[in-house]
Amino acid sequence: MSDMPHYQLFIAGDWQAGSGGQVLETINPATGKAWATFDCAAPADVDQAIRAAKAVLDTAEWRDMTQTGRGKLLYRLADLIAENAEHLGRIETTDSGKLATETMAQTGYVADYYRYYAGLADKIEGAVLPIDKPDMHAYTQVLPIGVVAAIVPWNAQMFLTATKLAPALAAGCSVVIKASEVAPAPMFEFAQLIAEAGFPAGVVSVITGDAENCAIPLTRHKDVDRIAFTGGPETARHVVRNSAENFAVTTLELGGKSPIIVFDDANIDSAANGLIAGNFGASGQSCVAGSRGLVHRPVYEALTAAIAEKCKDLVVGDPHDPATHLGPLCTVAQITRIKETLARAKQQGAKVVFGGATADAGSDHYFQPTLVLCNTPEVATLKVEMFGPVMSLLVFDTEEEAIALANDSDFGLGSGLFTQNVARAHRVSKRIRSGITWVNTYRAISPIAPFGGFNQSGYGREAGKEAILDYTRTKTTWINISDAPMANPFVMR
């Protein structure tokens, strides 16, 4: 264990061991073996991080920094992220199993999220109100909401952190990041860049740990003003219950079971690539995985054949190898869930065209890309979010049926449409209950575009210019500009 890298907690600008003495190993999914260790936070460490975050809000160094100054710090952080994208990507690949080609490219692009919000930092404006009282002057100021608890999962860590941290810092908040205890190493590496960028101590802390010692004390803490959570619906229910203790403003970006609808006029090659991207990209470990493929009957056979042809040479293997298409899944629990769900699907009459089993690629974390043809909308693979490389296809006959099937889900995060009919694209997109619809493409992101869902996919939006206002509160100031003394104190003015 002594030969492994070891990560400490980053609290108020200092690296420190967890006060409870709990140290865990993090597993390299590609090998199935521990590669690093890390300290876990105890309740006292959580309290220390939050107290530091609250205290820094009232220091001249952060409180009085101009909005332009905050933007310059974010630009500096963005440059550091871009410069270290390869290193951060490789650490994330080692820790989570995601393809290095994706983690490095995604981390490099994440820098643009910080640049986007750096540019918005000095665009947060109040207003002079055209008040209906001639002896009064009233204006608003848009102020930081306060201490933010940002809780991010192990998949797409740099991206899912950026959508919270960048607007929070641009607004002038302080942030305690709770990294997943499954694969926290990239977040601790990132903390080094935060320190190097020059943010005052306490503005950002990075901790990790289990629910009892870290997540619960964090989300219940009386001094937390806002919670930004990405994760699963069941954990989200606990977060919401905990927020009742502090009335923290809470946004939830949760799971998905996204539909991809392919109409009979679609470009088959493009649609096949979209379904492959939506299901086998990131080995299916994406909240917007398009794992419900809904296919118009006239093109069902042709599309199925095209997908099978494109997937016959997919490489499952070392995520650091540029030739690999699918790396390992982050946890063995995902493999178990996939196997159980596939077994139920087969019992329900579904047919596995290819895949359907683990892959022998170096550890027990690998699973073959799998295509399932479903005979009814109730097949388990159409219902369960497996977080793995399993694509399910179901046939439909009419546009109305496709929309009904797309909306037949507890979730509503992403969706996709493949059609050459522009009118149909607009018409169907409007009726799908999801926060995002991609037309003739899939898995595209931008700091300019809001990201979030409906139903059990959560509420609130991340990214986009409006998101920065979620980290603010509006203050109204009234000034009596009359020389006359204040009138009757018992009458509301």
Side-chain angles (χ1 to χ4, degrees):
M1 183 179 293
S2 60
D3 294 332
M4 298 181 189
H6 179 74
Y7 295 98
Q8 291 187 310
L9 306 173
F10 181 70
I11 297 177
D14 292 323
W15 296 96
Q16 61 187 62
S19 61
Q22 184 183 19
V23 175
L24 295 180
E25 295 178 332
T26 181
I27 304 298
N28 179 348
T31 64
K33 298 178 181 178
W35 77 277
T37 58
F38 59 92
D39 283 292
C40 293
D45 305 314
V46 175
D47 182 63
Q48 181 188 356
I50 295 172
R51 284 190 289 107
K54 183 179 180 180
V56 77
L57 292 172
D58 201 34
T59 63
E61 190 178 12
W62 185 240
R63 179 197 64 210
D64 296 341
M65 183 180 291
T66 65
Q67 293 170 240
T68 302
R70 294 200 298 262
K72 289 179 178 179
L73 278 181
L74 282 167
Y75 277 122
R76 172 61 178 150
L77 180 58
D79 290 343
L80 289 170
I81 292 169
E83 292 165 11
N84 290 274
E86 182 175 345
H87 172 70
L88 290 169
R90 292 194 182 282
I91 292 292
E92 185 172 355
T93 292
T94 301
D95 214 26
S96 70
K98 290 187 66 175
L99 295 186
T101 51
E102 178 167 6
T103 57
M104 290 188 288
Q106 188 176 76
T107 300
Y109 185 58
V110 157
D112 282 351
Y113 280 77
Y114 291 92
R115 294 188 179 106
Y116 179 78
Y117 284 104
L120 282 178
D122 58 5
K123 313 301 185 297
I124 305 172
E125 300 173 344
V128 175
L129 305 178
I131 211 70
D132 59 347
K133 303 179 189 328
D135 59 347
M136 293 287 179
H137 174 69
Y139 64 91
T140 61
Q141 294 170 286
V142 183
L143 304 175
I145 197 168
V147 177
V148 176
I151 303 171
V152 296
W154 54 262
N155 68 312
Q157 295 179 65
M158 291 298 294
F159 164 60
L160 294 171
T161 296
T163 58
K164 301 167 180 60
L165 183 63
L169 294 179
C173 298
S174 54
V175 184
V176 178
I177 300 172
K178 194 275 180 186
S180 170
E181 66 274 24
V182 173
M187 288 294 93
F188 290 122
E189 295 280 348
F190 176 51
Q192 298 181 35
L193 303 186
I194 294 170
E196 187 177 343
F199 287 91
V203 170
V204 182
S205 293
V206 179
I207 60 176
T208 191
D210 59 28
E212 192 67 29
N213 291 295
C214 186
I216 293 174
L218 177 63
T219 52
R220 290 171 62 97
H221 200 286
K222 65 181 181 63
D223 290 328
V224 167
D225 301 291
R226 191 189 191 291
I227 301 170
F229 173 83
T230 300
E234 190 53 43
T235 304
R237 291 185 178 94
H238 292 289
V239 169
V240 171
R241 293 185 191 107
N242 293 341
S243 70
E245 299 297 322
N246 51 23
F247 298 114
V249 176
T250 302
T251 52
L252 307 172
E253 197 271 281
L254 310 180
K257 193 69 182 168
S258 301
I260 297 179
I261 304 174
V262 181
F263 287 100
D264 59 359
D265 64 339
N267 180 301
I268 295 300
D269 186 60
S270 180
N273 284 339
L275 280 158
I276 291 168
N279 286 274
F280 302 152
S283 300
Q285 300 173 112
S286 171
C287 54
V288 295
S291 52
R292 293 189 294 137
L294 308 176
V295 187
H296 215 163
R297 192 177 298 275
V299 295
Y300 185 69
E301 290 186 7
L303 180 62
T304 302
I307 291 169
E309 178 65 23
K310 288 176 177 289
C311 292
K312 67 181 183 180
D313 295 322
L314 291 183
V315 176
V316 179
D318 181 1
H320 288 282
D321 187 342
T324 296
H325 298 106
L326 289 90
L329 302 189
C330 189
T331 69
V332 175
Q334 293 164 254
I335 301 287
T336 301
R337 187 175 178 86
I338 292 170
K339 288 180 176 179
E340 292 174 347
T341 306
L342 285 173
R344 291 202 303 275
K346 291 175 184 177
Q347 291 173 354
Q348 294 169 309
K351 176 186 176 183
V352 175
V353 178
F354 58 77
T358 54
D360 184 12
S363 79
D364 55 1
H365 288 247
Y366 291 87
F367 202 86
Q368 297 171 353
T370 300
L371 175 62
V372 181
L373 302 184
C374 301
N375 53 325
T376 77
E378 301 306 313
V379 169
T381 56
L382 291 169
K383 298 293 185 181
V384 178
E385 186 184 25
M386 289 170 281
F387 237 56
V390 180
M391 180 193 307
S392 297
L393 301 183
L394 180 68
V395 70
F396 69 86
D397 290 300
T398 68
E399 182 179 304
E400 286 297 319
E401 183 185 6
I403 293 168
L405 289 169
N407 289 334
D408 183 22
S409 174
D410 292 333
F411 299 102
L413 184 54
S415 62
L417 299 176
F418 283 84
T419 179
Q420 299 302 309
N421 185 327
V422 176
R424 170 185 275 164
H426 285 288
R427 183 172 65 242
V428 175
S429 173
K430 184 177 180 180
R431 292 185 60 191
I432 295 176
R433 289 281 298 170
S434 67
I436 309 161
T437 298
W438 289 285
V439 179
N440 296 327
T441 189
Y442 207 76
R443 284 187 80 211
I445 59 171
S446 168
I448 303 168
F451 186 99
F454 295 170
N455 305 329
Q456 290 192 27
S457 288
Y459 48 79
R461 293 295 180 267
E462 296 185 324
K465 65 181 181 180
E466 293 87 358
I468 198 169
L469 298 179
D470 290 339
Y471 293 88
T472 66
R473 284 197 172 114
T474 300
K475 175 174 180 168
T476 303
T477 297
W478 290 77
I479 301 175
N480 183 354
I481 58 174
S482 170
D483 288 333
M486 184 174 169
N488 190 341
F490 298 103
V491 177
M492 183 177 288
R493 304 203 66 201

